[in-house]
Amino acid sequence: MATGELITAVIVDDHAAIAAGVRYWCERADPPIALIDADGRLANVWTGPGAAADVVILDLELTPRKPEFGELRRLVDSGRRVVVYSQHADDATVIKCIDLGALAYLTKREGPEHLVPAVRAAAGGAPYTGPSLSGALVADTSPDRPRLSPRETEVLRAWFSSSSKELVAAKLNITAKTVDTHITRVRIKYANAGRAARTKSELVTRALDDGLITLEELSGSTPPV
């Protein structure tokens, strides 16, 4: 989004007090953030004013003991920029949400000093690493990171065989903005794994190393730097 534009966010949380508190923080941010309350209903993230919000602030557990991992995946796959805001602080849940494509994970103990900058970063398609996420990443010793979502892999492979993001968008029936969001997330995951891929050629190299695509599939298409 252009510098200076008003950021809009939609919050879906089943506790009215939490939504009211986040609204208070957003209204007093400098510059302020326009907050839409989905009234605890996921449908309101997809319809009405919430559908056009720059950022989704998602309570991971709208129903007790039923984390909304599927809904998070659906939001990410559609190109929405998500900040998970949850009471869960265990590393496994944090890492899973980041693997699914959330741009930030904050616990409800992490107040406006983290939520407001996380929303600003997400609006620009950038990650934000708060204390909970930082601790989870340090604790994560899995050797196969980064783990891309199926949609991220699909977009990446389509981009490697196309000359533009617009062609990828047409092929996958999504917007060019959504294509860019997925590619940005892939770059973030590789950067977090210590394997930065700043250009298309570098991403191709990473994908070849990780078996996401073969040389045979790439034959005839040389991606620009």
Side-chain angles (χ1 to χ4, degrees), residues 117-198:
V119 170
R120 292 200 195 286
Y128 179 86
T129 304
S132 294
L133 176 55
S134 178
L137 290 173
V138 168
D140 181 31
T141 58
S142 176
D144 59 347
R145 291 191 59 84
R147 294 186 289 271
L148 308 187
S149 72
R151 189 59 157 172
E152 288 166 349
T153 301
E154 180 184 32
V155 169
L156 198 64
R157 288 168 58 88
W159 188 42
F160 291 159
S161 61
S162 301
S163 59
S164 72
K165 294 175 182 176
E166 288 73 21
L167 289 175
V168 176
K171 178 180 179 180
L172 299 181
N173 196 29
I174 55 179
T175 67
K177 179 181 177 181
T178 299
V179 172
D180 191 59
T181 296
H182 284 305
I183 293 171
T184 296
R185 287 197 184 103
V186 172
R187 292 192 197 279
I188 289 166
K189 287 184 177 182
Y190 271 110
N192 285 341
R195 300 167 64 201
R198 299 179 182 86

Side-chain angles (χ1 to χ4, degrees), residues 14-192:
D14 61 338
H15 293 93
I18 295 293
V22 172
R23 180 182 297 281
Y24 180 87
W25 298 340
C26 289
E27 288 176 347
R28 282 153 183 77
D30 184 21
I33 296 167
L35 188 74
I36 301 158
D37 188 355
D39 296 320
R41 293 191 288 271
L42 284 165
N44 291 341
V45 175
W46 298 100
T47 60
D54 299 311
V55 179
V56 178
I57 304 171
L58 177 66
D59 179 5
L60 189 63
E61 196 170 284
L62 297 171
T63 303
R65 296 178 296 281
K66 291 185 179 179
E68 298 288 349
F69 293 123
E71 190 64 25
L72 173 58
R73 181 187 293 277
R74 182 184 172 209
L75 286 164
V76 169
D77 283 352
S78 72
R80 302 296 295 271
R81 294 169 176 179
V82 183
V83 172
V84 174
Y85 193 49
S86 174
Q87 74 271 24
H88 290 286
D90 61 286
D91 292 344
T93 297
V94 176
I95 292 297
K96 182 168 184 176
C97 288
I98 297 303
D99 283 342
L100 287 172
L103 288 172
Y105 188 105
L106 298 173
T107 70
K108 291 181 178 178
R109 295 193 299 272
E110 294 167 317
E113 69 274 16
H114 293 293
L115 184 59
V116 169
V119 170
R120 292 200 195 286
Y128 179 86
T129 304
S132 294
L133 176 55
S134 178
L137 290 173
V138 168
D140 181 31
T141 58
S142 176
D144 59 347
R145 291 191 59 84
R147 294 186 289 271
L148 308 187
S149 72
R151 189 59 157 172
E152 288 166 349
T153 301
E154 180 184 32
V155 169
L156 198 64
R157 288 168 58 88
W159 188 42
F160 291 159
S161 61
S162 301
S163 59
S164 72
K165 294 175 182 176
E166 288 73 21
L167 289 175
V168 176
K171 178 180 179 180
L172 299 181
N173 196 29
I174 55 179
T175 67
K177 179 181 177 181
T178 299
V179 172
D180 191 59
T181 296
H182 284 305
I183 293 171
T184 296
R185 287 197 184 103
V186 172
R187 292 192 197 279
I188 289 166
K189 287 184 177 182
Y190 271 110
N192 285 341

